Amino acid sequence: MRRYMISHSWKVLKKELGLYQLILDIIMMIRVCKMFRQGLRGFREYLIIETAHRRNPVFSFWDKKKQGRITFDTMDFVTTSGYFPPKAIEIARKKPSWRTEQEIQALCNLLQVLGSFRNYSKALQLLLAKVIRFERFGRRRVIIKKGQRVNSFYFIYLGRVAVTEDEDGSSAFLDPHPLLLYRGDCFGEMGLLSSSVRRSTVVCMEETEFLVVDREDFLAYKLDLEVKKDARHRFEFFRKMDLFHSWSNEKLWKLVTLGRREKFSYGQLISEDFVESSSIIFVCRGSCEVLRLINLRASPFYHKWIWQHLELMDDRPLETHLKEPPNVERFKKFQIKSYPVQDFSSLKLLHLQKARAHQGTSFSRKITISENSLPKTFGPKIKSKRPHLIKCPMINTRHGDLPREAAVGAYMKIHIVEEGEVIGLHQILLPENQQDVRPLILASLGTEVIRVRKEKFCELIDSKVAEKLSKFKIEYPSDEDLCRRFLTENSWNVFRKDLVRLLVEPRQLPPFIPVRHKKKGIYNPKSLVLDLYSFNKTKDYPIFMAPQKYLPPLRIVQAITAPRYKIQELLPQYKNAGVLV
């Protein structure tokens, strides 16, 4: 009996201890979740979405033991990225005089993600960080109404807005291609400097977060002086240009108010296609380059170049990619190819020797005909009358069949735009049938530009400026010329590497290379080189594909490795690398 009581009490104690441990685990989980939620509130650009503000799905299941349904809200701990951080909202809700220097600097560092904020000078950035306040508006909310005075200056931190010509902004939701402003853009800056009314309406297309500068704070903290100083620099830049020498100061200030200043670091994309862009770009500092994405498979020169190099692989004839010609033409080509570019001097000497022997004369040295002394062919050997087909997937192009993997493209630099030059005016007065509509890319080399909308600029053009623009023409090279230049540069680079490898004596000991951990990149460097030897081989690395307008994505390469003769045949005096015979 006593033994039974001990075992029974032990089971009860064990259950109580298990329940106690379960309660401790639950308390610990609640504390961890609470710490996570509180810590996440200050985490950069993340925001807890409470269930009270959204209709969230609920996961539930039936528990047989408890005879009840257990529910779990799957959206309790969901976060969305991109929102203005809660700690930054607390700073922005304070009065400007209550903000400390550390808070102003932290807010200034956070706003560096906005391109329009980054374009201002450092002093103006600190002043803006001191006076901005935070606002969040929903879809269809009108921010600025046409015909009213502007009392605030807005930075878009999240979302997008549309600019319309009507008063309520309803046309933005009916227009398939409205004029949109995205995160990082700003509007209303120049309206604070003048008392003019707005000519357009700005409406939210979705839930949007703004950083707002009010007119009172703008004037109280003398931000207008910094903005006027920046506008003065733009005015002086336009005044120095020969294009606007005939304009008055009043008309030039209109151009200044229409312009928007932007800064771009080295390698940053300025415009994906400035030919169809709705703005004109003035380069006021630094330089940028014009790039063109060329489709190599559309070039007849590239088509011929590929097959000329593929014929060197396995003694393959050049005509393997063409359709099979009739029998008579094949026989004529076979007769011609039976005697390719050869050295016939030995045959000529042999014929003369036989002729002299019939006449009773002879040569002092005899010609021995052996397998090695036969004429050496510098062209491909012919194994059979019928050409062999290349075993790789083909695509049909306008110039004939081409291996599928050889259908690649390349970016080519065609022009450098220096400081003081304009982009987008070279064919503004030409009729549409004479314009070059090829997409052209504009990339920064470390530059500062001023954008002006093309339609607004055309309203200011007078007869003198039109006369100057008629003489302003830039002719970019054709795609065929760019293709020839790419292949010429590629052949020279390959020859240069082979020559250096032959002339320079290799090191006896390999150079010391420190151990570095491999970093995960977007693409592998091997994908930027087209290797004609690797047709039909599987690729274990991702390939960089560039989008094309109205066409499927195109593989981008920087170089092409093709079959070629050994460079020792051109320089026989170098038997080995770095050793002159």
Side-chain angles (χ1 to χ4, degrees), residues 5 21 32 40 100 125 129 153 165 185 190 209 359 367 415 425 432 436 514 560 570 577:
M5 292 178 61
Q21 186 64 37
V32 170
L40 198 61
T100 63
Q125 289 180 12
F153 168 35
E165 298 295 334
D185 295 332
M190 302 307 297
E209 292 184 349
Q359 297 177 3
I367 299 176
H415 184 59
L425 289 178
E432 293 184 359
D436 186 1
I560 302 177
L570 300 176

PDB file of all heavy atoms in Angstrom, residues 5 21 32 40 100 125 129 153 165 185 190 209 359 367 415 425 432 436 514 560 570 577:
ATOM      1  N   MET A   5       1.207   4.259  -2.890  1.00  0.00           N
ATOM      2  CA  MET A   5       1.046   5.686  -2.619  1.00  0.00           C
ATOM      3  C   MET A   5       2.257   6.479  -3.111  1.00  0.00           C
ATOM      4  O   MET A   5       2.124   7.571  -3.646  1.00  0.00           O
ATOM      5  CB  MET A   5       0.839   5.910  -1.103  1.00  0.00           C
ATOM      6  CG  MET A   5      -0.496   5.358  -0.607  1.00  0.00           C
ATOM      7  SD  MET A   5      -0.681   5.567   1.162  1.00  0.00           S
ATOM      8  CE  MET A   5      -0.605   7.331   1.300  1.00  0.00           C
ATOM      9  N   GLN A  21       6.962  23.158 -16.288  1.00  0.00           N
ATOM     10  CA  GLN A  21       7.942  23.422 -17.354  1.00  0.00           C
ATOM     11  C   GLN A  21       7.270  23.982 -18.604  1.00  0.00           C
ATOM     12  O   GLN A  21       7.809  24.867 -19.278  1.00  0.00           O
ATOM     13  CB  GLN A  21       8.693  22.131 -17.693  1.00  0.00           C
ATOM     14  CG  GLN A  21       9.830  22.308 -18.671  1.00  0.00           C
ATOM     15  CD  GLN A  21      10.923  23.195 -18.109  1.00  0.00           C
ATOM     16  OE1 GLN A  21      11.216  23.134 -16.913  1.00  0.00           O
ATOM     17  NE2 GLN A  21      11.512  24.023 -18.947  1.00  0.00           N
ATOM     18  N   VAL A  32      10.168  36.431 -25.522  1.00  0.00           N
ATOM     19  CA  VAL A  32      10.972  36.528 -26.743  1.00  0.00           C
ATOM     20  C   VAL A  32      10.189  37.240 -27.848  1.00  0.00           C
ATOM     21  O   VAL A  32      10.712  38.116 -28.551  1.00  0.00           O
ATOM     22  CB  VAL A  32      11.422  35.131 -27.201  1.00  0.00           C
ATOM     23  CG1 VAL A  32      12.053  35.190 -28.587  1.00  0.00           C
ATOM     24  CG2 VAL A  32      12.418  34.543 -26.210  1.00  0.00           C
ATOM     25  N   LEU A  40      11.953  45.223 -33.272  1.00  0.00           N
ATOM     26  CA  LEU A  40      11.692  45.427 -34.690  1.00  0.00           C
ATOM     27  C   LEU A  40      11.099  46.801 -34.972  1.00  0.00           C
ATOM     28  O   LEU A  40      11.206  47.316 -36.088  1.00  0.00           O
ATOM     29  CB  LEU A  40      10.751  44.333 -35.202  1.00  0.00           C
ATOM     30  CG  LEU A  40      10.688  44.123 -36.715  1.00  0.00           C
ATOM     31  CD1 LEU A  40      12.045  43.739 -37.235  1.00  0.00           C
ATOM     32  CD2 LEU A  40       9.669  43.065 -37.063  1.00  0.00           C
ATOM     33  N   THR A 100      17.643  67.128 -31.423  1.00  0.00           N
ATOM     34  CA  THR A 100      19.063  67.243 -31.112  1.00  0.00           C
ATOM     35  C   THR A 100      19.898  67.084 -32.376  1.00  0.00           C
ATOM     36  O   THR A 100      19.386  66.650 -33.431  1.00  0.00           O
ATOM     37  CB  THR A 100      19.466  66.172 -30.087  1.00  0.00           C
ATOM     38  OG1 THR A 100      19.268  64.867 -30.672  1.00  0.00           O
ATOM     39  CG2 THR A 100      18.624  66.296 -28.826  1.00  0.00           C
ATOM     40  N   GLN A 125      20.999  69.741 -46.742  1.00  0.00           N
ATOM     41  CA  GLN A 125      20.485  68.463 -46.250  1.00  0.00           C
ATOM     42  C   GLN A 125      20.247  68.502 -44.746  1.00  0.00           C
ATOM     43  O   GLN A 125      19.224  68.009 -44.255  1.00  0.00           O
ATOM     44  CB  GLN A 125      21.459  67.338 -46.606  1.00  0.00           C
ATOM     45  CG  GLN A 125      21.512  66.987 -48.072  1.00  0.00           C
ATOM     46  CD  GLN A 125      22.505  65.870 -48.359  1.00  0.00           C
ATOM     47  OE1 GLN A 125      22.991  65.206 -47.450  1.00  0.00           O
ATOM     48  NE2 GLN A 125      22.813  65.668 -49.638  1.00  0.00           N
ATOM     49  N   ALA A 129      16.650  68.102 -42.873  1.00  0.00           N
ATOM     50  CA  ALA A 129      16.428  67.080 -41.848  1.00  0.00           C
ATOM     51  C   ALA A 129      15.929  67.689 -40.546  1.00  0.00           C
ATOM     52  O   ALA A 129      15.297  67.001 -39.734  1.00  0.00           O
ATOM     53  CB  ALA A 129      17.717  66.301 -41.610  1.00  0.00           C
ATOM     54  N   PHE A 153       6.496  71.494 -49.441  1.00  0.00           N
ATOM     55  CA  PHE A 153       7.473  70.886 -50.343  1.00  0.00           C
ATOM     56  C   PHE A 153       7.571  69.419 -49.941  1.00  0.00           C
ATOM     57  O   PHE A 153       7.747  69.101 -48.757  1.00  0.00           O
ATOM     58  CB  PHE A 153       8.795  71.637 -50.189  1.00  0.00           C
ATOM     59  CG  PHE A 153       9.990  70.969 -50.824  1.00  0.00           C
ATOM     60  CD1 PHE A 153       9.884  70.255 -51.990  1.00  0.00           C
ATOM     61  CD2 PHE A 153      11.240  71.084 -50.241  1.00  0.00           C
ATOM     62  CE1 PHE A 153      10.982  69.654 -52.567  1.00  0.00           C
ATOM     63  CE2 PHE A 153      12.343  70.496 -50.803  1.00  0.00           C
ATOM     64  CZ  PHE A 153      12.217  69.772 -51.960  1.00  0.00           C
ATOM     65  N   GLU A 165      -3.734  67.120 -65.224  1.00  0.00           N
ATOM     66  CA  GLU A 165      -4.141  68.476 -65.595  1.00  0.00           C
ATOM     67  C   GLU A 165      -5.516  68.849 -65.062  1.00  0.00           C
ATOM     68  O   GLU A 165      -5.914  70.005 -65.143  1.00  0.00           O
ATOM     69  CB  GLU A 165      -4.129  68.615 -67.128  1.00  0.00           C
ATOM     70  CG  GLU A 165      -2.763  68.420 -67.767  1.00  0.00           C
ATOM     71  CD  GLU A 165      -1.760  69.489 -67.358  1.00  0.00           C
ATOM     72  OE1 GLU A 165      -2.193  70.601 -67.018  1.00  0.00           O
ATOM     73  OE2 GLU A 165      -0.550  69.203 -67.374  1.00  0.00           O
ATOM     74  N   ASP A 185      11.629  60.888 -55.588  1.00  0.00           N
ATOM     75  CA  ASP A 185      11.313  62.131 -56.293  1.00  0.00           C
ATOM     76  C   ASP A 185      10.770  63.168 -55.315  1.00  0.00           C
ATOM     77  O   ASP A 185      10.368  62.845 -54.189  1.00  0.00           O
ATOM     78  CB  ASP A 185      10.298  61.881 -57.410  1.00  0.00           C
ATOM     79  CG  ASP A 185      10.862  60.993 -58.510  1.00  0.00           C
ATOM     80  OD1 ASP A 185      12.090  61.005 -58.697  1.00  0.00           O
ATOM     81  OD2 ASP A 185      10.079  60.284 -59.166  1.00  0.00           O
ATOM     82  N   MET A 190      10.051  74.749 -56.049  1.00  0.00           N
ATOM     83  CA  MET A 190      10.083  76.115 -56.591  1.00  0.00           C
ATOM     84  C   MET A 190       8.806  76.887 -56.270  1.00  0.00           C
ATOM     85  O   MET A 190       8.801  78.120 -56.313  1.00  0.00           O
ATOM     86  CB  MET A 190      10.296  76.063 -58.108  1.00  0.00           C
ATOM     87  CG  MET A 190      11.579  75.351 -58.533  1.00  0.00           C
ATOM     88  SD  MET A 190      13.052  75.988 -57.727  1.00  0.00           S
ATOM     89  CE  MET A 190      13.075  77.666 -58.321  1.00  0.00           C
ATOM     90  N   GLU A 209       3.927  57.541 -48.498  1.00  0.00           N
ATOM     91  CA  GLU A 209       4.530  58.229 -47.359  1.00  0.00           C
ATOM     92  C   GLU A 209       5.340  59.412 -47.868  1.00  0.00           C
ATOM     93  O   GLU A 209       6.111  59.280 -48.835  1.00  0.00           O
ATOM     94  CB  GLU A 209       5.425  57.282 -46.558  1.00  0.00           C
ATOM     95  CG  GLU A 209       4.639  56.190 -45.846  1.00  0.00           C
ATOM     96  CD  GLU A 209       5.536  55.327 -44.982  1.00  0.00           C
ATOM     97  OE1 GLU A 209       6.773  55.455 -45.097  1.00  0.00           O
ATOM     98  OE2 GLU A 209       5.006  54.534 -44.174  1.00  0.00           O
ATOM     99  N   GLN A 359      66.204  17.454-122.405  1.00  0.00           N
ATOM    100  CA  GLN A 359      67.083  18.258-123.250  1.00  0.00           C
ATOM    101  C   GLN A 359      68.564  17.955-123.011  1.00  0.00           C
ATOM    102  O   GLN A 359      69.422  18.578-123.617  1.00  0.00           O
ATOM    103  CB  GLN A 359      66.834  19.752-122.995  1.00  0.00           C
ATOM    104  CG  GLN A 359      65.416  20.196-123.368  1.00  0.00           C
ATOM    105  CD  GLN A 359      65.177  21.649-123.040  1.00  0.00           C
ATOM    106  OE1 GLN A 359      66.095  22.337-122.580  1.00  0.00           O
ATOM    107  NE2 GLN A 359      63.961  22.117-123.306  1.00  0.00           N
ATOM    108  N   ILE A 367      65.477  16.921-106.206  1.00  0.00           N
ATOM    109  CA  ILE A 367      64.313  17.129-105.356  1.00  0.00           C
ATOM    110  C   ILE A 367      63.756  15.775-104.972  1.00  0.00           C
ATOM    111  O   ILE A 367      63.420  14.962-105.824  1.00  0.00           O
ATOM    112  CB  ILE A 367      63.232  17.953-106.084  1.00  0.00           C
ATOM    113  CG1 ILE A 367      63.784  19.323-106.451  1.00  0.00           C
ATOM    114  CG2 ILE A 367      61.980  18.082-105.233  1.00  0.00           C
ATOM    115  CD1 ILE A 367      62.835  20.150-107.247  1.00  0.00           C
ATOM    116  N   HIS A 415      29.871  57.182 -77.695  1.00  0.00           N
ATOM    117  CA  HIS A 415      30.062  58.628 -77.572  1.00  0.00           C
ATOM    118  C   HIS A 415      30.287  58.983 -76.110  1.00  0.00           C
ATOM    119  O   HIS A 415      29.746  58.330 -75.209  1.00  0.00           O
ATOM    120  CB  HIS A 415      28.835  59.376 -78.115  1.00  0.00           C
ATOM    121  CG  HIS A 415      28.971  60.872 -78.124  1.00  0.00           C
ATOM    122  ND1 HIS A 415      29.982  61.518 -78.815  1.00  0.00           N
ATOM    123  CD2 HIS A 415      28.252  61.855 -77.520  1.00  0.00           C
ATOM    124  CE1 HIS A 415      29.860  62.821 -78.646  1.00  0.00           C
ATOM    125  NE2 HIS A 415      28.815  63.050 -77.864  1.00  0.00           N
ATOM    126  N   LEU A 425      18.802  66.861 -77.855  1.00  0.00           N
ATOM    127  CA  LEU A 425      18.456  67.965 -78.750  1.00  0.00           C
ATOM    128  C   LEU A 425      18.952  67.765 -80.174  1.00  0.00           C
ATOM    129  O   LEU A 425      18.658  68.594 -81.032  1.00  0.00           O
ATOM    130  CB  LEU A 425      19.038  69.288 -78.215  1.00  0.00           C
ATOM    131  CG  LEU A 425      18.396  69.882 -76.957  1.00  0.00           C
ATOM    132  CD1 LEU A 425      19.123  71.153 -76.559  1.00  0.00           C
ATOM    133  CD2 LEU A 425      16.924  70.175 -77.186  1.00  0.00           C
ATOM    134  N   GLU A 432       9.872  62.782 -88.136  1.00  0.00           N
ATOM    135  CA  GLU A 432       9.965  61.453 -87.546  1.00  0.00           C
ATOM    136  C   GLU A 432      10.606  60.432 -88.488  1.00  0.00           C
ATOM    137  O   GLU A 432      11.297  59.522 -88.039  1.00  0.00           O
ATOM    138  CB  GLU A 432       8.566  60.968 -87.148  1.00  0.00           C
ATOM    139  CG  GLU A 432       7.951  61.771 -86.010  1.00  0.00           C
ATOM    140  CD  GLU A 432       6.631  61.200 -85.577  1.00  0.00           C
ATOM    141  OE1 GLU A 432       6.195  60.182 -86.179  1.00  0.00           O
ATOM    142  OE2 GLU A 432       6.020  61.754 -84.638  1.00  0.00           O
ATOM    143  N   ASP A 436      16.730  58.909 -85.835  1.00  0.00           N
ATOM    144  CA  ASP A 436      17.339  57.641 -85.451  1.00  0.00           C
ATOM    145  C   ASP A 436      16.652  57.172 -84.174  1.00  0.00           C
ATOM    146  O   ASP A 436      16.861  57.733 -83.091  1.00  0.00           O
ATOM    147  CB  ASP A 436      18.838  57.830 -85.218  1.00  0.00           C
ATOM    148  CG  ASP A 436      19.553  56.511 -84.944  1.00  0.00           C
ATOM    149  OD1 ASP A 436      18.883  55.460 -84.963  1.00  0.00           O
ATOM    150  OD2 ASP A 436      20.774  56.532 -84.709  1.00  0.00           O
ATOM    151  N   PRO A 514      46.895  35.361 -52.096  1.00  0.00           N
ATOM    152  CA  PRO A 514      46.275  35.128 -50.787  1.00  0.00           C
ATOM    153  C   PRO A 514      44.935  34.427 -50.932  1.00  0.00           C
ATOM    154  O   PRO A 514      44.222  34.588 -51.930  1.00  0.00           O
ATOM    155  CB  PRO A 514      46.105  36.538 -50.204  1.00  0.00           C
ATOM    156  CG  PRO A 514      46.104  37.439 -51.392  1.00  0.00           C
ATOM    157  CD  PRO A 514      47.004  36.790 -52.412  1.00  0.00           C
ATOM    158  N   ILE A 560      34.930  36.979 -77.279  1.00  0.00           N
ATOM    159  CA  ILE A 560      34.627  35.720 -77.960  1.00  0.00           C
ATOM    160  C   ILE A 560      35.930  34.958 -78.138  1.00  0.00           C
ATOM    161  O   ILE A 560      36.904  35.490 -78.693  1.00  0.00           O
ATOM    162  CB  ILE A 560      33.959  35.958 -79.325  1.00  0.00           C
ATOM    163  CG1 ILE A 560      32.662  36.762 -79.163  1.00  0.00           C
ATOM    164  CG2 ILE A 560      33.673  34.636 -80.028  1.00  0.00           C
ATOM    165  CD1 ILE A 560      31.980  37.106 -80.469  1.00  0.00           C
ATOM    166  N   LEU A 570      53.156  31.641 -86.892  1.00  0.00           N
ATOM    167  CA  LEU A 570      53.487  32.963 -87.394  1.00  0.00           C
ATOM    168  C   LEU A 570      54.874  33.398 -86.964  1.00  0.00           C
ATOM    169  O   LEU A 570      55.548  34.157 -87.677  1.00  0.00           O
ATOM    170  CB  LEU A 570      52.454  33.983 -86.886  1.00  0.00           C
ATOM    171  CG  LEU A 570      50.999  33.725 -87.298  1.00  0.00           C
ATOM    172  CD1 LEU A 570      50.082  34.747 -86.643  1.00  0.00           C
ATOM    173  CD2 LEU A 570      50.853  33.799 -88.812  1.00  0.00           C
ATOM    174  N   ALA A 577      57.875  29.368 -75.001  1.00  0.00           N
ATOM    175  CA  ALA A 577      57.537  30.682 -74.470  1.00  0.00           C
ATOM    176  C   ALA A 577      58.777  31.364 -73.919  1.00  0.00           C
ATOM    177  O   ALA A 577      59.441  30.844 -73.020  1.00  0.00           O
ATOM    178  CB  ALA A 577      56.477  30.554 -73.377  1.00  0.00           C
TER     179      ALA A 577
END
